[in-house]
Amino acid sequence: GTQNLAILDAIRDTPGIRFILTRHKQGAAFMAYGFARASGKPSVVTATEGPGVTNLATGIAAANRAFLPVISLCGVQESELRERDATQDMDQVAFMRPLTKWAYSIPNARKIQESMRKAFRVALTEPRGPAHVEASSEILLGTTPVEATEPAAYRNTVLPSCSDAQLDQACALLAQAERPVFVLGRGVLNESATQAMMALADRVGVPVAVLQYSPDAFPSTHALALGPLGRNGWSSANRTVPKADLIIAVGAHMDVMSTTFKYGIFSREAKLIHHSPASGQLGIVYPFALGINGSTQSFIAGLSERIARAGSRRPWIDVDK
């Protein structure tokens, strides 16, 4: 559309950015969703103003629920046409704000680079999620000095490590448990920690279920794999997890499809160790015996080190898929 043509001109002059033209904005939004989900990297989708933005909404809302770093970079009506009932004029920021972590209309060309840095910073900060940034053609056609700022200079690129004292507590709870299970979430995928998680499961002999938004966090072919939990989940997971006396949720956000937000799939009597790279995700649904904030990689590595010192254990159940 006319309002974001300047963005397309800039992309054409930037060989390092791959541009994919789609037939419909909703398709574009879901392609961005799919790329972010499959790669763990941020993706950007662009559309023109008005119906261009409203057609992105479903894909952006899906990214919001899936905690995916999708950035919508859109046009908006020129300032002289706003608030005059122009054909495609609407309050796009108000429309996108409930669907994103941050929505912003860039006021002038000098703010463009700062705004894009913030969009990436917000989208990639745990818990991840979409951001919306927009500007009119008069701003996008403006000029401003280049601010060559590398990502590591404007956003955190390394998650904090989990507390040693809390890892000691987690290991102690695991040693006391008779029927422990792991429940894996998006943090395992975001940090490419599947191989490390497989090694941990093998070492400790604990069966592994996955939350439904993260089915690829653990291979279903593994001898200790229970599969996805909850509604539409596997019977192996839904039969085994209710028997657990200790649930270790790794990189996990509790979703309604996996747990129904009720006790049943999780036993009320079971102790919960809830780990998440986002501290605000801890304890939203279930109170925990131990909540741990920090990188998923450091949580898995910390448990592995302590279990290696303590010695391995035999599985308490034969996984029957």
Side-chain angles (χ1 to χ4, degrees), residues 223 225-226 234-237 239-240 317-321:
L226 297 171
W234 288 16
S235 60
S236 51
R239 288 197 314 266
T240 303
I317 191 170
D318 291 328
V319 174
D320 179 17
K321 299 188 290 294

Side-chain angles (χ1 to χ4, degrees), residues 203-250:
R203 172 167 285 170
V204 75
V206 172
V208 181
V210 294
L211 296 169
Q212 285 197 35
Y213 277 92
S214 312
D216 298 329
F218 199 80
S220 60
T221 54
H222 192 279
L224 290 166
L226 297 171
L229 274 176
R231 199 177 87 185
N232 307 325
W234 288 16
S235 60
S236 51
N238 290 333
R239 288 197 314 266
T240 303
V241 173
K243 300 174 184 176
D245 61 354
L246 177 67
I247 298 165
I248 307 173
V250 185

Side-chain angles (χ1 to χ4, degrees), residues 137-204:
S137 59
E138 65 204 79
I139 293 170
L140 295 173
L141 289 169
T143 59
T144 187
V146 173
E147 299 167 8
T149 309
E150 294 297 321
Y154 69 83
R155 60 180 173 85
N156 179 47
T157 57
V158 179
L159 289 169
S161 295
C162 293
S163 157
D164 286 335
Q166 288 190 310
L167 287 167
D168 289 340
Q169 290 178 287
C171 197
L173 287 170
L174 180 57
Q176 296 164 11
E178 296 180 358
R179 300 179 304 281
V181 296
F182 286 115
V183 173
L184 308 187
R186 187 77 198 169
V188 176
L189 291 171
N190 287 347
E191 298 181 46
S192 302
T194 297
Q195 291 295 325
M197 192 64 228
M198 290 167 61
L200 173 58
D202 285 332
R203 172 167 285 170
V204 75

Side-chain angles (χ1 to χ4, degrees), residues 10-23:
I11 290 173
R12 185 163 44 217
D13 296 335
T14 312
I17 298 177
R18 182 185 179 194
F19 177 72
I20 300 173
L21 180 65
T22 67
R23 292 180 179 271

Side-chain angles (χ1 to χ4, degrees), residues 282-297:
L282 299 175
I284 292 177
V285 180
Y286 299 102
F288 47 74
L290 179 62
I292 303 181
N293 172 230
S295 77
T296 305
Q297 287 277 11

Side-chain angles (χ1 to χ4, degrees), residues 56-204:
L56 293 180
T58 303
I60 298 301
N64 193 24
R65 292 296 82 205
F67 301 98
L68 297 176
V70 176
I71 296 167
S72 63
L73 176 58
C74 298
V76 67
Q77 198 71 265
E78 291 97 336
S79 58
E80 66 181 38
L81 299 180
R82 290 184 206 170
E83 305 297 334
R84 294 182 175 183
D85 293 330
T87 306
Q88 297 187 170
D89 185 27
M90 60 176 284
D91 190 344
Q92 297 176 174
V93 168
F95 177 78
M96 294 297 283
R97 188 171 285 129
L99 310 180
T100 61
K101 291 179 67 181
W102 181 61
Y104 183 64
S105 189
I106 301 172
N108 55 63
R110 296 187 306 277
K111 294 281 286 187
I112 287 177
Q113 294 168 90
E114 176 187 337
S115 302
M116 291 309 301
R117 289 194 294 269
K118 181 170 181 178
F120 277 88
R121 183 166 60 248
V122 168
L124 288 165
T125 297
E126 296 287 351
R128 296 180 173 189
H132 171 79
V133 182
E134 63 184 34
S136 65
S137 59
E138 65 204 79
I139 293 170
L140 295 173
L141 289 169
T143 59
T144 187
V146 173
E147 299 167 8
T149 309
E150 294 297 321
Y154 69 83
R155 60 180 173 85
N156 179 47
T157 57
V158 179
L159 289 169
S161 295
C162 293
S163 157
D164 286 335
Q166 288 190 310
L167 287 167
D168 289 340
Q169 290 178 287
C171 197
L173 287 170
L174 180 57
Q176 296 164 11
E178 296 180 358
R179 300 179 304 281
V181 296
F182 286 115
V183 173
L184 308 187
R186 187 77 198 169
V188 176
L189 291 171
N190 287 347
E191 298 181 46
S192 302
T194 297
Q195 291 295 325
M197 192 64 228
M198 290 167 61
L200 173 58
D202 285 332
R203 172 167 285 170
V204 75

